[in-house]
Amino acid sequence: MRLSRYFLPVLKEAPSDAQIVSHQLMLRAGMIRQEAAGIYAWLPLGLRVLNKVEQIVREEMDRAGAVELLMPTLQLADLWRESGRYDAYGPEMLRITDRHERELLYGPTNEEMVTEIFRASVRSYKDLPKNLYHVQWKFRDERRPRFGVMRGREFLMKDAYSFDLDAEGARKSYNRMFVAYLNLYARMGLKAVPMRADTGPIGGDLSHEFIVLAETGESAVFCHKDLVEMDPPGADVDWYGDLQPLVDQRTALYAATEEMHDEAAFDAIPEGDRLSARGIEVGHIFSFGTKYSEPMKAYVMGPDGKEVPAQMGSYGVGVSRLLGAIIEASHDEGGIIWPESVAPFHVGIVNMRQGDGACDAACDSAYKALQAAGVDVLYDDTDARGGAKFATMDLIGLPWQLIVGPKGIADGVVELKNRKTGERVSEPLDAVIARLTGKAA
Amino acid sequence: MRLSRYFLPVLKEAPSDAQIVSHQLMLRAGMIRQEAAGIYAWLPLGLRVLNKVEQIVREEMDRAGAVELLMPTLQLADLWRESGRYDAYGPEMLRITDRHERELLYGPTNEEMVTEIFRASVRSYKDLPKNLYHVQWKFRDERRPRFGVMRGREFLMKDAYSFDLDAEGARKSYNRMFVAYLNLYARMGLKAVPMRADTGPIGGDLSHEFIVLAETGESAVFCHKDLVEMDPPGADVDWYGDLQPLVDQRTALYAATEEMHDEAAFDAIPEGDRLSARGIEVGHIFSFGTKYSEPMKAYVMGPDGKEVPAQMGSYGVGVSRLLGAIIEASHDEGGIIWPESVAPFHVGIVNMRQGDGACDAACDSAYKALQAAGVDVLYDDTDARGGAKFATMDLIGLPWQLIVGPKGIADGVVELKNRKTGERVSEPLDAVIARLTGKAA
């Protein structure tokens, strides 16, 4: 993408109401723009990252056997009356009346609707296990939206729902999601720790939150420090085999959010291994048995010919919120430092003297070569000064900067800078292209 | 995807309120499920097609120089008061009040919001032309939603918005979208004819609807028959060159929707070239000058140092509705016939005798080989009877069916059926795989 044709409204300073660094940086880097309290437009740079994060979540869901569908944003109030949650849900639910005075709501979550979809067609244990997920915009009318996309009102969530015949099957479904979550956060460069959590309005008796540790986290968390550095299970897990050992390996160590914190159990950890920190919730999984299937009559026939309500679980990932969490975990005074897996572009080309024939020719050639190799590249072909271009590149945090200046070109070299380490090498353009495309020069 | 792990709730019969064939087939093929009047869940098979259609639209927008962002579904009423449309828009606008009594609405379109985003950062003619688009769920509270996704209330739309310094630039932006639209419909196997159209509540003086001819179309249309068979311009258009001849080639021939119909002009066409038919609107483009930029103060500085309101246009494609239009244009008594570009899977494998060692082995081998080659494949590994499997495959309309039965396996062959032509060949499995993956055997 040529910057002159792109839309990247970077700001020198963030608005004063942006309190945390991720919110400030997302505004400054032209990733988002607030359109109402807690409601954001995703500008082109922000959308590119959102899409990459969403795609990682999708791939890990698919790998773990979940099947994607897409439920609408608006739901019937009557559907929520079936589970009893329409009246139980507080003012965070956005209630809407249409032109025919029918009561609708903007979905804050989808347990009821997916149960309705399931019960309409699934009858037999032979069709189980089933895990249906979607990635859709949700709305929660937070009393006090803040921290940008970290606590917005309209937000993008991945929510998966599992259906099983019995508790044993439900546990296996829960474990598949538990393991998939470990992998998906790791792919985004995040260290997310599963912690015992309160089940809140979703209900159920088994629940974990996935927490990224960050000073600006919204709540206090407590865990054994080994959990933070544990490697993810990886993609070659046997998804339909026994995942319990992988889960036990984590749950054997103490980890709990504030609401579930057990002081005595925490104190039993050797002092040097105790970690008391603040955390950002980036996922929440629940196993809640028949809480919805029973009142909503989502029954399946077992091998014994008896009908039983399906055992269910639900599994959420805050997709839009993850961008904030990633930035909280990965930035410096210059701006964002994107992990390669979610970077909006892999390389930024900085033309230090736009209009200079040799510089333009080298940049054009690099741009074409990188594009041809399938590398996402943003080419700053504007007539801004070099200093301003550097500041923008650092701010938006692309992993690599390819710097083309007249002096270097006269010497036959360009510069390649790594955003994270700050390391620079000066090499002929061909060699730099080869590095970036993974080919030997 | 193995069907046993998928979620494909096909129906023997469509509900009686489904009046048109696309609605009936989408319900029967397990693509959608109604969750409220005009509000649908996209089941896994439907979502796959929706994603493919959306991706084609995206690619053609990107090619024509438009830049993608994503605006939220909910908007502030006050924003629409700036343009005067909040009060002007009728009961089709879904008006919402949040917990703090702030007035919101579920966006039916985004002229106001994109103008707000534009004016916040663009100041100079040097940043023009600019075309910003998004693909987002919209809501129009239709009085009488019907025809499934063809006239839903919550629907997916691509809407692009162009900004230029002057009328000449605006015309070029309009032409880029006009040409991009010709290409994008053609890529989906549709013959869409641009027709002069009424500008309705969007406003402006230049507007075309893109119409797919279909007996079940919602409105009468009139055109020169040559327009229907005209080839699309193709991808190698010079997007920043002169596109006027390509546009003139179409607009020189008569084509108008009912509201804009000119009987005398139509009668001037030689009788054999007149086409009077019914049509489905699948896109609508508008050039409306300063209708929004003037009241909303979206001004840009020209080269002469004077500030002028930006010249704007907007360009919509009904993404979810396109699925209905494609099915209306491409089906037979057995079900849907997907064009390859939007098919949910490229090949369906039918195992005629699940549980038979030789059949299972051949199917598994085909499944793995096709997946490894990057071919989207749905493997019917259920224990349904062969006849039921055939009916489902015809219904869901995958371009190719690979049929594996015990008799063929004994003879060393499998069968490959083309859904569209019904042609069948019997060949060794290796040869069939080679055909499907485009490799010589």
Side-chain angles (χ1 to χ4, degrees), chain B residues 328-392:
Chain B
E328 291 291 333
S330 186
H331 66 272
D332 64 15
E333 62 286 353
I336 302 166
I337 302 171
W338 290 115
E340 302 219 351
S341 60
V342 300
F345 297 93
H346 188 63
V347 189
I349 300 176
V350 177
N351 188 340
M352 296 291 288
R353 194 172 294 171
Q354 195 71 33
D356 173 276
C359 286
D360 291 2
C363 287
D364 286 352
S365 147
Y367 182 61
K368 280 184 193 138
L370 290 168
Q371 281 200 314
V375 175
D376 283 337
V377 52
L378 180 67
Y379 169 20
D380 188 343
D381 62 343
T382 65
D383 51 12
R385 287 174 305 101
K389 290 188 177 188
F390 286 143
T392 295

Side-chain angles (χ1 to χ4, degrees), chain B residues 265-295:
Chain B
F266 188 61
D267 288 346
I269 304 173
E271 191 166 355
D273 292 339
R274 280 181 227 157
L275 191 63
S276 162
R278 298 197 70 78
I280 301 167
E281 185 209 315
V282 290
H284 201 160
I285 63 177
F286 303 88
S287 183
F288 43 68
T290 62
K291 180 175 156 68
Y292 300 90
S293 55
E294 178 89 65

Side-chain angles (χ1 to χ4, degrees), chain A residues 143-437:
Chain A
R143 194 174 60 81
R144 202 180 140 213
R146 57 195 155 139
F147 304 153
V149 300
M150 296 276 276
R151 186 174 291 229
R153 294 199 291 167
E154 184 170 329
F155 61 98
L156 189 62
M157 184 162 90
K158 183 286 298 178
D159 35 328
Y161 302 90
S162 67
F163 299 87
D164 284 276
L165 181 69
D166 52 32
E168 192 191 334
R171 181 68 208 223
K172 285 182 181 162
S173 290
Y174 186 89
N175 288 349
R176 274 192 287 276
M177 290 293 103
F178 188 105
V179 171
Y181 275 39
L182 295 172
N183 284 335
L184 73 85
Y185 297 118
R187 279 187 62 191
M188 297 171 199
L190 288 174
K191 292 173 177 172
V193 178
M195 302 199 178
R196 279 198 303 148
D198 189 20
T199 57
I202 306 276
D205 53 7
L206 176 63
S207 177
H208 287 91
E209 283 183 14
F210 287 75
I211 303 280
V212 172
L213 305 184
E215 285 169 28
T216 49
E218 63 225 317
S219 62
V221 295
F222 307 87
C223 70
H224 192 292
K225 75 173 176 45
D226 287 359
L227 280 169
V228 181
E229 298 301 334
M230 223 174 255
D231 285 333
D236 56 348
V237 158
D238 176 10
W239 292 101
Y240 293 89
D242 184 10
L243 299 176
Q244 196 64 48
L246 279 173
V247 174
D248 289 346
Q249 194 188 354
R250 270 82 185 172
T251 54
L253 295 175
Y254 184 84
T257 59
E258 207 161 7
E259 306 90 50
M260 298 295 278
H261 186 43
D262 176 344
E263 200 91 32
F266 187 60
D267 288 346
I269 305 173
E271 191 166 356
D273 292 338
R274 280 180 225 158
L275 191 62
S276 162
R278 297 198 70 78
I280 301 167
E281 184 209 315
V282 291
H284 201 161
I285 64 178
F286 303 88
S287 183
F288 44 69
T290 62
K291 180 176 156 69
Y292 299 91
S293 55
E294 178 90 64
M296 293 185 67
K297 301 192 173 49
Y299 284 73
V300 279
M301 178 98 67
D304 56 3
K306 283 192 190 142
E307 286 202 319
V308 293
Q311 296 283 330
M312 293 176 57
S314 73
Y315 314 91
V317 169
V319 175
S320 46
R321 141 176 288 227
L322 269 169
L323 276 76
I326 293 169
I327 295 172
E328 291 291 334
S330 185
H331 67 272
D332 63 15
E333 63 287 352
I336 302 165
I337 302 170
W338 290 115
E340 302 219 351
S341 60
V342 300
F345 297 93
H346 189 64
V347 189
I349 300 176
V350 177
N351 188 339
M352 295 290 288
R353 195 173 291 171
Q354 195 71 31
D356 173 276
C359 285
D360 291 1
C363 286
D364 286 353
S365 147
Y367 182 60
K368 280 184 194 137
L370 290 169
Q371 282 199 312
V375 175
D376 283 337
V377 51
L378 179 68
Y379 169 19
D380 188 345
D381 62 344
T382 66
D383 51 13
R385 287 174 306 103
K389 290 188 177 188
F390 286 142
T392 296
M393 279 297 167
D394 280 355
L395 176 62
I396 68 175
L398 311 184
W400 297 96
Q401 298 171 13
L402 197 172
I403 301 152
V404 178
K407 191 164 170 304
I409 291 293
D411 296 343
V413 295
V414 298
E415 199 170 40
L416 185 67
K417 176 183 159 187
N418 182 290
R419 171 66 182 91
K420 186 173 180 179
T421 63
E423 282 173 305
R424 294 157 183 268
V425 292
S426 282
E427 281 183 343
L429 183 57
D430 286 356
V432 167
I433 299 293
R435 273 178 193 266
L436 292 171
T437 57

Side-chain angles (χ1 to χ4, degrees), chain A residues 1 3-7 9 33-37 39-45 47 50-51 58 65-76 79 91-92 94-100 102 104 106 113 116-118 120-122 126-127 129-130 132-133 136-137 139 141-145 153-154 240 383, chain B residues 1 3-7 9 33-37 39-45 47 50-51 58 65-76 79 91-92 94-100 102 104 106 113 116-118 120-122 126-127 129-130 132-133 136-137 139 141-145 153-154 240 383:
Chain A
M1 176 62 68
L3 187 55
S4 60
R5 290 187 179 166
Y6 204 48
F7 183 71
R33 179 171 175 80
Q34 181 172 306
E35 294 298 331
I39 301 179
Y40 291 87
W42 292 80
L43 303 182
L45 195 78
L47 178 60
L50 188 69
N51 286 341
R58 175 173 292 123
V67 176
E68 189 176 8
L69 45 59
L70 183 60
M71 291 176 268
T73 61
L74 298 194
Q75 309 186 21
L76 282 179
L79 185 63
E92 287 193 359
L94 187 66
R95 295 158 207 259
I96 301 171
T97 307
D98 75 7
R99 67 189 291 174
H100 296 302
R102 277 174 298 216
L104 301 169
Y106 199 122
M113 191 178 279
E116 191 281 329
I117 289 170
F118 175 86
S121 72
V122 180
K126 289 183 191 164
D127 296 322
K130 208 55 96 186
L132 303 174
Y133 79 98
Q136 178 61 292
W137 294 91
F139 199 91
D141 204 355
E142 297 273 354
R143 194 174 60 81
R144 202 180 140 213
R153 294 199 291 167
E154 184 170 329
Y240 293 89
D383 51 13
Chain B
M1 177 60 68
L3 186 56
S4 61
R5 289 188 180 167
Y6 203 48
F7 183 70
R33 177 170 178 80
Q34 182 172 304
E35 293 298 331
I39 301 179
Y40 291 86
W42 293 80
L43 303 182
L45 194 79
L47 178 61
L50 188 69
N51 287 341
R58 176 172 291 124
V67 176
E68 188 176 10
L69 45 59
L70 183 60
M71 292 175 269
T73 61
L74 298 194
Q75 309 186 20
L76 281 179
L79 185 64
E92 288 192 0
L94 187 66
R95 294 157 208 259
I96 301 171
T97 307
D98 74 8
R99 67 189 291 174
H100 296 302
R102 277 174 299 215
L104 301 170
Y106 199 121
M113 191 178 280
E116 191 280 329
I117 289 170
F118 175 85
S121 73
V122 180
K126 290 182 190 165
D127 296 321
K130 208 57 93 186
L132 302 174
Y133 80 97
Q136 178 61 294
W137 294 93
F139 199 92
D141 204 355
E142 298 273 355
R143 194 173 60 79
R144 204 179 138 215
R153 294 198 292 167
E154 184 170 330
Y240 292 90
D383 51 12

